[in-house]
Amino acid sequence: MVRPTYGAVLLAAGKGSRMNTETPKQYLPVNGRPILYYSLAVLEASDVDQIVLVVGDGEEEWVREEVVERFGFRKVSAIVQGGKERSHSVHNGLGALRGVDYVLIHDGARPCIDVPMVKRVMEAVEDCKACVVGMPMKDTVKIVDGDNTVVDTPNRDRVWGVQTPQAFDYLMIKGAYEAYMERGGQPVTDDAMVLEHMTDCRVKVIEGSYRNVKVTTPEDLKLVEEFLQGR
Ligand code: CTP
Ligand code: MG
């Protein structure tokens, strides 16, 4: 059997407003290397064939020189510009992949992924066409109304916090994003949500890691610094 081909869209076009640093958070140094380096290194070491980096306006040269060339990454096939919302950045990234069967979409601000996790995602997506990594919530989740009054408490066994990578059949997610953009792109908070709105494809949740945090606010930096020791 012919092995399927895998692309990855690695997102680094955000401004990091909640981190509030001059340098966008995905480029901040952790243990001497930019945060973006760590997930790129894992994707490079995995069986992913081709990686598209999505970066902010004017960041292309810096990323090429200081991340891709400096560390000798060889699977980066394109560095493209992102858009205003994360979904626009994903849409641009999907458009730059060529001839892949599946795609993994990953936040450059989540540096603590590992090769076994990427492998789990790749195996799962061949079965189910759409899968996301996540972990069961540790806290009880409350659904509140506009006045912060609790209206529901979902059974915690069924509540997962989802992370990235999220992996999809390439043509299916590309089609879903095209349709979503044509309809004006109402806000979404992950890629699976685009698929949930635009198709009836079922999305599988598989095991990620409690270490797979998204660097969002300053306290997250200390955490990932510890998790990434020795890489
Ligand atoms: N991202 C992107 N393009 C955007 C917005 C976000 O590529 N227009 C990327 C970020 O670089 C990050 C990932 O999507 O790797 C997750 O987004 P988030 O954590 O929200 O990052 P920011 O949008 O940069 O941060 P904030 O929401 O605090 O401004
Ligand atoms: Mg954001």
Side-chain angles (χ1 to χ4, degrees), residues 4 21 47 136 188 222 225:
T21 47
D47 285 334
V188 287
K222 275 268 167 264
E225 188 181 307

Side-chain angles (χ1 to χ4, degrees), residues 11-19 25-26 54 83-86 89 107-109 214-216:
L11 297 167
K15 300 234 181 305
S17 52
R18 287 168 289 178
M19 182 62 75
K25 61 187 183 181
Q26 59 274 20
V54 187
K84 188 164 175 290
E85 302 296 333
R86 182 185 180 282
S89 298
D107 294 332
K214 179 160 64 70
V215 176
T216 306

Side-chain angles (χ1 to χ4, degrees), residues 109-168:
R110 275 185 205 275
C112 302
I113 54 169
D114 51 45
V115 173
M117 190 192 303
V118 171
K119 194 169 158 61
R120 286 200 292 282
V121 173
M122 290 172 68
E123 284 170 2
V125 75
E126 284 182 35
D127 274 349
C128 64
K129 289 187 158 207
C131 78
V132 305
V133 297
M135 291 301 282
M137 290 299 290
K138 296 182 185 178
D139 295 323
T140 294
V141 170
K142 300 286 184 195
I143 310 295
V144 298
D145 65 12
D147 294 326
N148 267 17
T149 302
V150 173
V151 292
D152 193 18
T153 303
N155 178 348
R156 209 182 54 196
D157 296 344
R158 295 284 180 87
V159 181
W160 287 57
V162 303
Q163 311 168 342
T164 68
Q166 303 200 347
F168 307 94

Side-chain angles (χ1 to χ4, degrees), residues 18-203:
R18 287 168 289 178
M19 182 62 75
N20 201 18
T21 47
E22 200 169 318
T23 304
K25 61 187 183 181
Q26 59 274 20
Y27 306 130
L28 292 174
V30 167
N31 303 338
R33 292 173 180 197
I35 285 179
L36 180 64
Y37 158 85
Y38 294 95
S39 54
L40 187 51
V42 169
L43 292 170
E44 175 98 5
S46 76
D47 285 334
V48 163
D49 302 285
Q50 167 187 156
I51 303 165
V52 168
L53 286 177
V54 187
V55 304
D57 186 9
E59 296 170 0
E60 294 92 331
E61 268 319 293
W62 186 87
V63 169
R64 181 176 303 285
E65 285 165 19
E66 295 303 319
V67 184
V68 180
E69 288 171 3
R70 176 175 166 205
F71 298 105
F73 291 114
R74 306 173 67 111
K75 290 184 180 173
V76 176
S77 58
I79 301 177
V80 300
Q81 225 181 78
K84 188 164 175 290
E85 302 296 333
R86 182 185 180 282
S87 55
H88 303 150
S89 298
V90 174
H91 182 248
N92 292 356
L94 290 173
L97 284 168
R98 292 288 170 265
V100 297
D101 299 307
Y102 299 102
V103 58
L104 277 68
I105 302 172
H106 183 63
D107 294 332
R110 275 185 205 275
C112 302
I113 54 169
D114 51 45
V115 173
M117 190 192 303
V118 171
K119 194 169 158 61
R120 286 200 292 282
V121 173
M122 290 172 68
E123 284 170 2
V125 75
E126 284 182 35
D127 274 349
C128 64
K129 289 187 158 207
C131 78
V132 305
V133 297
M135 291 301 282
M137 290 299 290
K138 296 182 185 178
D139 295 323
T140 294
V141 170
K142 300 286 184 195
I143 310 295
V144 298
D145 65 12
D147 294 326
N148 267 17
T149 302
V150 173
V151 292
D152 193 18
T153 303
N155 178 348
R156 209 182 54 196
D157 296 344
R158 295 284 180 87
V159 181
W160 287 57
V162 303
Q163 311 168 342
T164 68
Q166 303 200 347
F168 307 94
D169 177 280
Y170 174 70
L171 291 178
M172 185 176 70
I173 192 74
K174 189 153 185 291
Y177 261 97
E178 302 288 348
Y180 164 81
M181 297 298 277
E182 267 166 36
R183 288 191 202 175
Q186 294 309 303
V188 287
T189 48
D190 75 344
D191 306 299
M193 208 170 153
V194 173
L195 209 64
E196 290 156 33
H197 283 318
M198 296 297 155
T199 73
D200 53 14
C201 178
R202 293 153 77 93
V203 178

